[in-house]
Amino acid sequence: MFMNKLISQSHIWNSLKNHQKYLAPVQMKDLFALDEHRYENFSIEACDLLLDYSKNRLTKDTLNLLQQFAEKVELNSWVKKLFNGELVNNTERRAALHIALRNRSNTPIIVNGKDVMPGVNEVLDRMRKFSNSVRDGNWRGYTGKHIENIVNIGIGGSDLGPAMVARALRIYQHPRLQSYFVSNVDNSHLGDILTKINPETTLFIIASKTFTTQETILNAQTARRWLIEQLGNDEAVAKHFVAVSTATKKVTEFGIDPVNMFEFWDWVGGRYSLWSAIGLPISVMIGMERFEELLAGAHKLDQHFATAPLLKNLPVLMALIDVWYSSFFGTTSQVILPYDYTLKLFPAYLQQLVMESLGKRVTRDGNIVDYATCPVIWGAPGNNGQHAFYQLLHQGTHIIPTDFIVAIESHYDLSEHQDAVLSNALAQSHALMMGRNLEKTKQNLLNMGIEGEELSKQLPHRVFPGNQPSNTILYKKLTPEILGTLIALYEHKVFVQSVCWGINPFDQWGVELGKNVASTLLPALRVDTHNNAHDSSTNGLLNYIKAHRHSVL
Ligand code: G6Q
């Protein structure tokens, strides 16, 4: 299977390895002391985003080597392949054309000899008409009432993107409408929401690319049954259910008329699909005009990505820095810290985008890599994290590259709060970089009147090693356009990392495995007999559940 050499066998990889050995003991605070223009030299502004990457463990030499690395892996040619609709998803033999969904310039994009743009525009047009009719009250429920609740039923890529965007842009939502996102098959998710909504004023959007996903179909069936029971007639379904899918036949079999179905295509990956009809809950909630602003923001970033030189290119820079840490410093996680509460769901959204795309250990050629690839992505809104897990960042044993994502202004007129948010964000990235050495800590303790034996005891606990790397991304205010730009930034960053590591970011065989095994143990749970067909742990757990479930019933 070894067709090509791994990138780790290249000269440039070796140079980066040696360079890391040289930089490993270097303190960022010394780099700042040596270069009073470090901020100017290591920050860029593009697409209304400012990226300050000066608080990273790198120098101009590092960037030059990383640029050579990007050239070695032929990054520019891969970007062209992506934008030209080539089959970059090689294991599924598909293009990955999320850029077509937001191609506001409307230039033709050809897949299998056919321009995809007319189809994209047609679906956008249907979304516009449908969203308008729900919002202006022309679309009525079965009993003639206006729609007030939008319940999206979907999971993974058919949930995380729209849920994150709907939350982030809540300030723009229609005053009559409330959105809910049901993903988990645990009945406490759907069950809880059904207690809050009125069937007469509820619209269910069943979002599933394949329309076979166990969780989504079971939730959709239950919601459908509930609605018919509540409204007393199965004709009500046509007024309360729409579907978003690539699978017309399955949607029809489920009982949703294809006129109420919004189409997308196999060249749209689940986790890249919020720009497609999967964004329907977004366009209904905030209106099509705002949804198109989201698309426009992403398109702006697409153009920047396709044209800016490597070291002036936001996603390229961020990706190269990540590769630098994962593959050369051996970091194993990255933390995402939005200092913008509206981005509450952004870390969870990025967990899927990054880890489902890059959580791979085999190259496109089928070789097993001998270097580290995707880090574990985690995070939470910044201020909350400060009172919880930041301890690990300040004094733990790991190097954890951090993205501070910071809004300069908020949508709410509470400037005192915004100043507090901003000062916290800047103070944290500063403290993580600077740390506090033994001398300063000692002085602090002496100032506090702690001396002698007590001082010696306290000292090691109060030292902060610092040198924790971070990026800071600043934007003025989280508008739909800025959010589109920000999401596209991370999407393309992931693509660049995949090129550096030689892996396909658009398949997800691990997730497919989960789907295949999802129903395998259902029959065992539904019979009363003792289980012994599996490994002893699975048998033991099954039998324990059955014994205790029966005893409760
Ligand atoms: C995304 C993944 C996965 C997928 C869900 C839902 O890239 O493939 O998260 O989106 O499993 O799949 P369906 O949309 O087909 O229900």
Side-chain angles (χ1 to χ4, degrees):
M1 283 292 276
F2 283 79
M3 282 162 266
N4 277 321
K5 276 206 302 192
L6 289 170
I7 187 64
S8 52
Q9 290 159 32
S10 63
H11 179 67
I12 183 65
W13 187 279
N14 219 21
S15 306
L16 279 161
K17 254 172 98 172
N18 289 334
H19 183 64
Q20 190 276 338
K21 280 186 202 134
Y22 158 76
L23 263 189
V26 173
Q27 295 288 312
M28 281 186 279
K29 61 179 177 216
D30 295 333
L31 296 175
F32 274 93
L34 283 172
D35 175 8
E36 59 174 319
H37 298 295
R38 188 167 167 87
Y39 166 75
E40 288 81 6
N41 290 335
F42 296 91
S43 61
I44 56 168
E45 204 185 341
C47 304
D48 301 317
L49 300 176
L50 173 94
L51 169 68
D52 170 17
Y53 61 101
S54 59
K55 294 191 190 88
N56 277 295
R57 297 172 70 167
L58 49 78
T59 62
K60 286 269 174 218
D61 288 343
T62 322
L63 290 183
N64 287 337
L65 288 170
L66 287 170
Q67 175 169 4
Q68 287 171 44
F69 180 60
E71 284 159 3
K72 172 75 186 169
V73 294
E74 299 178 356
L75 178 59
N76 283 334
S77 123
W78 277 101
V79 174
K80 285 202 182 84
K81 285 184 199 175
L82 177 76
F83 278 76
N84 289 341
E86 290 188 33
L87 306 184
V88 288
N89 179 353
N90 62 317
T91 58
E92 296 181 295
R93 310 242 355 108
R94 288 175 186 165
L97 271 180
H98 34 292
I99 56 120
L101 301 166
R102 58 220 193 190
N103 175 18
R104 308 312 287 161
S105 62
N106 217 8
T107 45
I109 297 181
I110 311 294
V111 178
N112 298 328
K114 196 175 156 222
D115 181 10
V116 298
M117 287 316 297
V120 168
N121 291 329
E122 200 184 306
V123 174
L124 285 174
D125 207 42
R126 289 194 59 219
M127 287 170 71
R128 178 175 304 106
K129 289 196 179 111
F130 180 74
S131 304
N132 287 347
S133 73
V134 173
R135 291 165 64 80
D136 64 23
N138 278 334
W139 181 285
R140 303 279 174 109
Y142 179 63
T143 59
K145 294 196 171 155
H146 292 148
I147 297 299
E148 289 173 0
N149 306 304
I150 306 295
V151 182
N152 189 80
I153 297 184
I155 196 164
S158 301
D159 166 72
L160 286 160
M164 180 274 288
V165 174
R167 174 64 190 89
L169 301 179
R170 195 188 273 175
I171 187 88
Y172 298 95
Q173 82 184 25
H174 192 288
R176 194 185 68 244
L177 298 174
Q178 183 61 49
S179 64
Y180 300 90
F181 288 82
V182 179
S183 51
N184 205 297
V185 75
D186 181 328
N187 59 17
S188 61
H189 200 174
L190 179 63
D192 179 47
I193 288 167
L194 293 184
T195 63
K196 293 184 184 144
I197 54 175
N198 174 357
E200 291 179 276
T201 57
T202 297
L203 177 79
F204 290 96
I205 300 176
I206 313 302
S208 176
K209 182 173 171 178
T210 54
F211 232 76
T212 55
T213 305
Q214 187 205 44
E215 294 89 337
T216 300
I217 299 305
L218 188 51
N219 277 328
Q221 282 164 344
T222 304
R224 188 175 185 275
R225 209 170 42 242
W226 174 81
L227 185 101
I228 294 170
E229 270 166 27
Q230 298 283 318
L231 298 185
N233 195 327
D234 59 6
E235 280 176 20
V237 170
K239 290 288 168 197
H240 294 272
F241 276 77
V242 298
V244 180
S245 188
T246 59
T248 316
K249 195 160 164 270
K250 294 207 166 66
V251 169
T252 317
E253 281 164 11
F254 177 85
I256 295 178
D257 191 330
V259 293
N260 288 338
M261 173 184 147
F262 296 82
E263 186 198 7
F264 64 114
W265 306 272
D266 70 356
W267 43 262
V268 183
R271 55 196 172 278
Y272 298 88
S273 66
L274 72 89
W275 322 100
S276 71
I278 288 289
L280 192 65
I282 308 172
S283 65
V284 172
M285 291 307 292
I286 66 170
M288 197 61 192
E289 224 169 274
R290 301 285 194 199
F291 184 73
E292 286 179 326
E293 286 168 20
L294 182 84
L295 301 184
H299 180 60
K300 201 195 260 187
L301 200 287
D302 292 342
Q303 288 173 312
H304 165 78
F305 178 49
T307 56
L310 293 176
L311 296 185
K312 298 264 176 247
N313 195 310
L314 291 169
V316 173
L317 268 170
M318 284 175 65
L320 291 176
I321 293 171
D322 260 17
V323 169
W324 173 231
Y325 289 127
S326 299
S327 296
F328 298 93
F329 271 85
T331 60
T332 52
S333 87
Q334 190 195 16
V335 63
I336 308 294
L337 304 173
Y339 278 76
D340 181 340
Y341 194 70
T342 65
L343 286 177
K344 189 175 184 253
L345 301 180
F346 199 54
Y349 163 78
L350 282 186
Q351 281 185 323
Q352 177 184 34
L353 176 68
V354 180
M355 295 200 279
E356 197 172 347
S357 300
L358 299 172
K360 320 265 164 85
R361 46 185 262 292
V362 171
T363 64
R364 286 175 176 279
D365 305 321
N367 293 323
I368 295 182
V369 298
D370 60 2
Y371 43 86
T373 59
C374 186
V376 175
I377 303 294
W378 56 291
N383 282 80
N384 303 58
Q386 279 174 222
H387 296 266
F389 55 77
Y390 276 39
Q391 172 60 37
L392 175 87
L393 304 180
H394 285 291
Q395 291 187 305
T397 54
H398 306 272
I399 304 173
I400 303 183
T402 302
D403 280 359
F404 288 91
I405 304 176
V406 187
I408 297 173
E409 287 176 11
S410 139
H411 284 284
Y412 300 91
D413 192 17
L414 298 167
S415 59
E416 211 185 317
H417 288 244
Q418 193 56 18
D419 286 349
V421 169
L422 289 166
S423 62
N424 272 296
L426 300 189
Q428 288 293 335
S429 69
H430 173 74
L432 285 169
M433 186 268 286
M434 292 296 287
R436 191 174 65 194
N437 66 19
L438 205 71
E439 263 321 294
K440 269 203 180 141
T441 307
K442 191 171 172 185
Q443 198 49 57
N444 262 19
L445 289 172
L446 287 170
N447 293 346
M448 288 158 67
I450 301 173
E451 32 186 50
E453 203 184 321
E454 186 57 18
L455 186 139
S456 312
K457 269 197 209 157
Q458 292 281 340
L459 203 49
H461 300 281
R462 308 237 188 171
V463 166
F464 296 87
N467 223 17
Q468 280 283 24
S470 69
N471 291 317
T472 300
I473 299 167
L474 285 182
Y475 52 86
K476 187 147 188 272
K477 194 188 256 192
L478 199 81
T479 59
E481 186 169 344
I482 286 292
L483 182 58
T485 310
L486 194 62
I487 301 168
L489 167 64
Y490 278 92
E491 283 182 348
H492 290 319
K493 175 189 161 192
V494 163
F495 181 68
V496 176
Q497 284 171 274
S498 80
V499 173
C500 291
W501 288 323
I503 57 186
N504 175 6
F506 299 117
D507 61 12
Q508 56 282 314
W509 299 109
V511 171
E512 307 295 340
L513 173 77
K515 291 189 179 191
N516 293 338
V517 300
S519 307
T520 52
L521 288 177
L522 268 181
L525 272 168
R526 289 181 176 162
V527 292
D528 267 344
T529 51
H530 196 80
N531 271 93
N532 56 12
H534 306 279
D535 62 89
S536 71
S537 163
T538 309
N539 291 334
L541 294 169
L542 274 170
N543 294 329
Y544 187 90
I545 290 167
K546 287 201 274 187
H548 287 77
R549 187 162 63 171
H550 289 153
S551 66
V552 172
L553 291 173

